[in-house]
Amino acid sequence: MMSQGIRQGLKQSGQLPPVVAGTIGTLVSNSFSAADIEQQIVADLGEKLTPAQLQAVHDWYQTPVARKISAAEIAASSPEAWQTIQARAPELNERFKGTRKAEMFDRFDRAARATESAVDTTIAVQLGLASALAAFSNDSANHEQLRQRIESQRSMLSGVVGQQVYDSYLYTYENIGAQELELYLKFLESPAGAAFSRVVTNSIQQAITEPVVSIGQQMSRLLRPETSTGQ
C-alpha cells in the first residue's frame, strides 16, 4: 500500500517520469519486511511496557470482541484491500453519515494515533526520498526548497490522510457493532492500551523510515550514475 501510494504521489507531482516513479516505488517495496517490522514491535513492547501493561494487553486480546476486531483489522490491512477501500469509500461515507460509528471516529483516531502517525511517516518518507528527486538537479538550493515544500505540506496531508484513515476505519469496522467498538475504544484509551498504541505506532514508523536513507542513496546512484563513474 505504501509503495503504491509513493508511486502515485510521485507521478502526480510531475517531477519524475512515470518509469522513475515506478522504480522508486519498487525500491520502497523491496526495502521493507513485514517479519522485521513484527520483530521490532515485539522487542519494543517487551522493553517499553511494564509487565502489568503487557498482561492487560494480553487479557484484552483474549476476549471474543478483540479477536473479532483483530480479524477485521488483519483482513483490511492486506495490499489487495486498499483498492476495495477506495472503491467503497463513497458508499460507506454516505451509509454511516450521522451514525454513532461515524461520531466515534475522532476518539478512535486520537487513541490509535492513526492520522498523526501516518502523516509523520509520510513526511519522513518524502524527506528521505528528496535526495532521489534532487539527483536530477545540481542546484543545492533547489533541494532545500524541495525539503521546505515537503515540510509545508503537513497541514494539507493531515486532511488528505485523515480522510483516508476515516475511509479505512469505516471499511475495517463495517461489521463491528457500536457496543463492540466502544469496548475497543475503552481499551485504547486505557493506560495499557495507550502505551500499547504508542509503542506499536512508533515501532512501525521507525521500521519504515530507517531504510529510507538507503533508498535515497540507491536512487541517487541509479539516476545519476555519471556522478560516480565520470569523476
Side-chain angles (χ1 to χ4, degrees), residues 34-111:
D36 291 343
I37 293 176
E38 182 179 355
Q39 291 178 2
Q40 179 74 49
I41 291 173
V42 171
D44 287 347
L45 286 173
E47 178 183 347
K48 298 177 181 178
L49 263 63
T50 67
Q53 289 173 329
L54 286 171
Q55 185 63 51
V57 172
H58 174 270
D59 292 345
W60 159 252
Y61 279 105
Q62 294 306 304
T63 67
V65 171
R67 290 176 178 175
K68 179 180 179 181
I69 289 174
S70 295
E73 290 176 338
I74 291 171
S77 68
S78 68
E80 298 78 14
W82 180 237
Q83 291 184 344
T84 305
I85 292 172
Q86 291 178 306
R88 295 197 59 203
E91 166 212 340
L92 293 175
N93 273 259
E94 182 63 27
R95 175 180 162 191
F96 287 104
K97 185 177 181 179
T99 65
R100 184 182 176 192
K101 184 172 291 186
E103 294 171 352
M104 296 168 79
F105 171 71
D106 285 343
R107 283 179 62 195
F108 167 83
D109 197 30
R110 286 194 301 271

Side-chain angles (χ1 to χ4, degrees), residues 81-179:
W82 180 237
Q83 291 184 344
T84 305
I85 292 172
Q86 291 178 306
R88 295 197 59 203
E91 166 212 340
L92 293 175
N93 273 259
E94 182 63 27
R95 175 180 162 191
F96 287 104
K97 185 177 181 179
T99 65
R100 184 182 176 192
K101 184 172 291 186
E103 294 171 352
M104 296 168 79
F105 171 71
D106 285 343
R107 283 179 62 195
F108 167 83
D109 197 30
R110 286 194 301 271
R113 300 179 63 235
T115 298
E116 175 190 356
S117 178
V119 170
D120 286 345
T121 303
T122 300
I123 292 288
V125 168
Q126 290 189 26
L127 287 172
L129 292 174
S131 60
L133 297 176
F136 284 98
S137 173
N138 292 320
D139 185 359
S140 60
N142 183 59
H143 186 199
E144 180 59 28
Q145 290 174 1
L146 176 61
R147 292 179 61 87
Q148 292 177 1
R149 185 161 65 249
I150 290 172
E151 290 285 6
S152 70
Q153 292 177 347
R154 184 173 295 274
S155 177
M156 179 274 293
L157 278 173
S158 294
V160 174
V161 172
Q163 183 61 51
Q164 292 175 339
V165 171
Y166 181 62
D167 295 341
S168 298
Y169 163 85
L170 293 181
Y171 176 85
T172 302
Y173 306 110
E174 177 181 9
N175 297 316
I176 304 298
Q179 291 183 338

